[in-house]
Amino acid sequence: MPLVPAPDMLAAARADGYALGYFESWDSYSLEAVLAAAEAENAPVIVGFGATMLADEWLDAGGIEFLGASGRALLEGCRIPASFLLNETHTLEQAVRGVAAGFNFVMIDSHRWPVPEARDAVAKLVAAAHPVGVAVEAEFGSLPDYHDGAVDDSHAYMTDPGAAAEFVAATGVDCLAVAVGNVHLLTAYESEIDLERLQAIQAAVDVPLAIHGGTGFPPASVAAAISLGVAKFNVGTRLKRGFLDAVLDRTRSWSGNESVHDLVGSHKQADFLAAGQSAITETVRSLLRLYGSSGRA
Ligand code: 13P
């Protein structure tokens, strides 16, 4: 199935009262695992790669083109509606390269930039992306991060509904990520969501809303968030953590005698990385059910 434009998928989710998951991949194993989950659940899905944790040297030395081409190759035989996102690039130039590299959805990680700078860069990205059928997301408001056992909110601020509406009008983005209490990279507990703020944002902004920090987002607030305009949840940390735990667990059973060629990168039953892949698939399947996108393909 060819890639589906993200705005079409987000509009369908809004109309039918469910949300899409964007499950962040980092290589072919993780992307295949997400696709396997979506196919098993017969769910539309946003797949893709996140740039924010990757080294600029690698991204700028052909990494973006490698991610685009390898993702497109895996999406070639995909049987469910999918959109392909290059998430949170460090620069405008990287996102523009993503447009040329085969992604049909792009985003700059601009939430810590001064607003005028972010607005100009996002408007330029929209001008480069829309004429070739590529959609753009931006974040307005800035999420705290969780690391080393504590929340870092030094740069964080919640989304202001009026300012968000101005940002959307000035840039022409297709989807707006908002800060309403959600926290990036949070594994220790659940974030507390300000549903009143979300409601005010929905009333002011006419594009579908996205929630980043899906790992720590409280499952009990998912339905309320969807009813208040959220059409996309981003999940990252939980997938990588589950992958790593499963691979480490599998490596403990290594006697030291089996062929390393079977164990590393063989795509056979004995492949350590396949254990991580199965863990991702199970987690994504349960989240697709939580977001209500199962059975909607
Ligand atoms: P988590 O890693 O907290 O799930 O957030 C992922 C994300 O928002 C990617 O954009």
Side-chain angles (χ1 to χ4, degrees), residues 23-232:
F23 302 103
E24 188 146 288
S25 302
W26 55 92
D27 66 357
S28 62
Y29 282 87
S30 46
L31 187 55
E32 282 174 341
V34 174
L35 285 173
E39 288 186 350
E41 291 294 323
N42 198 31
V45 71
I46 300 175
V47 300
F49 297 109
T52 195
M53 301 297 179
L54 306 186
D56 276 327
E57 299 73 38
W58 186 80
L59 289 167
D60 294 341
I64 288 174
E65 287 70 22
F66 173 76
L67 294 175
S70 58
R72 286 299 285 250
L74 292 176
L75 281 156
E76 207 53 47
C78 165
R79 293 189 298 274
I80 36 93
S83 173
F84 184 35
L85 173 65
L86 178 60
N87 191 40
E88 295 179 330
T89 62
H90 297 128
T91 65
L92 165 64
E93 292 70 27
Q94 289 169 349
V96 170
R97 279 184 33 220
V99 171
F103 294 88
N104 75 339
F105 196 12
V106 290
M107 177 183 184
I108 309 171
D109 189 15
S110 60
H111 68 105
R112 293 189 192 207
W113 301 7
V115 170
E117 216 175 286
R119 191 180 49 223
D120 288 356
V122 172
K124 282 184 186 142
L125 181 58
V126 169
H130 279 183
V132 288
V134 172
V136 177
E137 175 176 332
E139 182 167 302
F140 191 79
S142 186
L143 266 53
D145 295 322
Y146 181 86
H147 44 76
D148 301 331
V151 170
D152 171 12
D153 60 2
S154 52
H155 59 280
Y157 64 97
M158 294 254 207
T159 304
D160 174 79
E166 278 171 27
F167 185 87
V168 169
T171 56
V173 287
D174 303 284
C175 176
L176 190 73
V178 293
V180 288
N182 40 328
V183 176
H184 247 155
L185 322 177
L186 177 61
T187 48
Y189 52 90
E190 291 172 7
S191 54
E192 247 178 72
I193 304 305
D194 182 346
L195 293 173
E196 271 175 39
R197 182 178 292 272
L198 192 56
Q199 186 163 29
I201 298 168
Q202 184 202 19
V205 168
D206 56 7
V207 295
L209 306 178
I211 289 283
H212 288 219
T215 293
F217 193 89
S221 297
V222 164
I226 291 171
S227 76
L228 296 173
V230 170
K232 172 173 174 279

Side-chain angles (χ1 to χ4, degrees), residues 242-256:
F243 180 89
L244 186 58
D245 286 347
V247 171
L248 288 174
D249 204 40
R250 177 68 76 83
T251 57
R252 281 189 205 102
S253 66
W254 185 34
S255 68

